[in-house]
Amino acid sequence: EDQVTQSPEALRLQEGESSSLNCSYTVSGLRGLFWYRQDPGKGPEFLFTLYSAGEEKEKERLKATLTKKESFLHITAPKPEDSATYLCAPKRDTDKLIFGTGTRLQVFP
Amino acid sequence: DTGVSQDPRHKITKRGQNVTFRCDPISEHNRLYWYRQTLGQGPEFLTYFQNEAQLEKSRLLSDRFSAERPKGSFSTLEIQRTEQGDSAMYLCASSLDIYEQYFGPGTRLTVT
C-alpha cells in the first residue's frame, strides 16, 4: 500500500534559522514527487517537481532534493512570509497525487 | 493568465440535500482532477478526467458522488443526499498532460 509520511508535523523557527522538512514515501510506480505550499483556507500552490533520485531544484529560499525513499525541503534563512503548510505528493503511474499530511511551518520575527 | 477557478467558494447545506460544485480549469489544460481535504489532512484524490473521459475514480467516491466534464472544458462534482461526513474542502486541479497539477481555491462545504 502506498504510504507518505511527512515530518515534523509542526516546526517553529526564528527568522533566519535554517531547517529541513522530510517526506518519506513508499509508492509503487513512482513518476515524480511534487512539493506544494498551502496557506490556511486556500488551495495548494505548486512549488517543485522532482523526477529522479539525485535531482535538486531551488526557488528563492527553498531547495528540494530527492532520493529513492525520501525528499527534503530545505529552507534557508526563512522569513515570516514563508509560514505555511508544506505538502509533498508522490505521483504514481496512474497520474494521481498521493499527499502527505504536511508540515506546518511557523517563522517568527 | 487566469488560474483554476471554483464556484461557489463556500456552501452550507442541510443533511440530505444535493449540492453541485463547478471547476473551470486553466485554458488548454486537458486533465482535470478532484480532491477532497479535511482539516489537518492532505488532499485525497477523488477522480480525474482526460478531456471528457473520466479515467479513474477513488473508492472514496461513493454512489452519492458523480462528476462530469462535458466537452472537456469545465467540470461539475455533485453530491447527492449529503451527510455530515461530506463536510470538507473540495479542490479542483488541472494539468497539461502529465505535468504539474495546479490547484484552484477550493469549495468549502459545510453540512449541518
Side-chain angles (χ1 to χ4, degrees):
Chain A
E1 184 180 338
D2 298 328
Q3 283 194 325
V4 182
T5 303
Q6 291 191 246
S7 61
E9 291 185 5
L11 183 62
R12 292 163 58 99
L13 297 174
Q14 199 73 32
E15 183 173 4
E17 179 187 2
S18 302
S19 188
S20 294
L21 282 55
N22 176 261
C23 170
S24 61
Y25 60 88
T26 306
V27 172
S28 57
L30 184 75
R31 290 293 182 268
L33 187 139
F34 292 63
W35 279 98
Y36 287 87
R37 167 194 170 125
Q38 187 172 30
D39 293 304
K42 297 188 176 181
E45 174 189 344
F46 171 76
L47 292 174
F48 304 107
T49 308
L50 301 166
Y51 288 104
S52 57
E55 187 175 1
E56 297 184 353
K57 287 195 176 173
E58 291 188 58
K59 179 180 180 178
E60 296 181 356
R61 295 176 291 282
L62 301 176
K63 183 170 80 172
T65 62
L66 181 66
T67 72
K68 287 186 178 180
K69 293 185 178 181
E70 56 191 351
S71 179
F72 292 93
L73 184 65
H74 308 277
I75 303 176
T76 302
K79 298 183 177 182
E81 54 262 42
D82 295 322
S83 298
T85 295
Y86 291 85
L87 297 161
C88 75
K91 184 165 82 80
R92 290 192 61 185
D93 51 5
T94 60
D95 218 23
K96 70 180 184 182
L97 299 181
I98 305 163
F99 282 89
T101 54
T103 293
R104 192 171 59 255
L105 174 66
Q106 291 180 298
V107 182
F108 295 91
Chain B
D1 179 29
T2 57
V4 177
S5 61
Q6 292 187 246
D7 185 69
R9 296 292 309 279
H10 303 274
K11 179 71 176 179
I12 300 174
T13 191
K14 293 185 177 180
R15 188 177 56 182
Q17 298 295 304
N18 298 344
V19 294
T20 300
F21 308 141
R22 176 180 170 124
C23 171
D24 287 89
I26 293 172
S27 177
E28 298 180 354
H29 277 193
N30 57 347
R31 299 189 183 207
L32 187 147
Y33 310 80
W34 286 99
Y35 292 83
R36 180 172 68 185
Q37 186 176 26
T38 54
L39 198 62
Q41 301 297 312
E44 293 177 292
F45 171 81
L46 293 178
T47 188
Y48 92 95
F49 295 83
Q50 181 171 322
N51 299 313
E52 63 273 14
Q54 188 173 19
L55 296 188
E56 186 174 353
K57 291 171 61 173
S58 164
R59 60 181 181 274
L60 294 174
L61 218 63
S62 75
D63 292 345
R64 297 184 297 104
F65 287 72
S66 63
E68 294 182 342
R69 192 184 183 198
K71 302 179 183 178
S73 56
F74 71 92
S75 176
T76 58
L77 178 68
E78 181 183 17
I79 309 174
Q80 297 182 325
R81 305 182 303 283
T82 53
E83 301 173 356
Q84 288 190 322
D86 296 332
S87 295
M89 175 79 88
Y90 289 84
L91 293 162
C92 175
S94 71
S95 71
L96 180 61
D97 296 322
I98 63 170
Y99 302 109
E100 295 81 15
Q101 295 181 22
Y102 293 92
F103 283 80
T107 294
R108 179 164 296 285
L109 173 67
T110 302
V111 182
T112 62

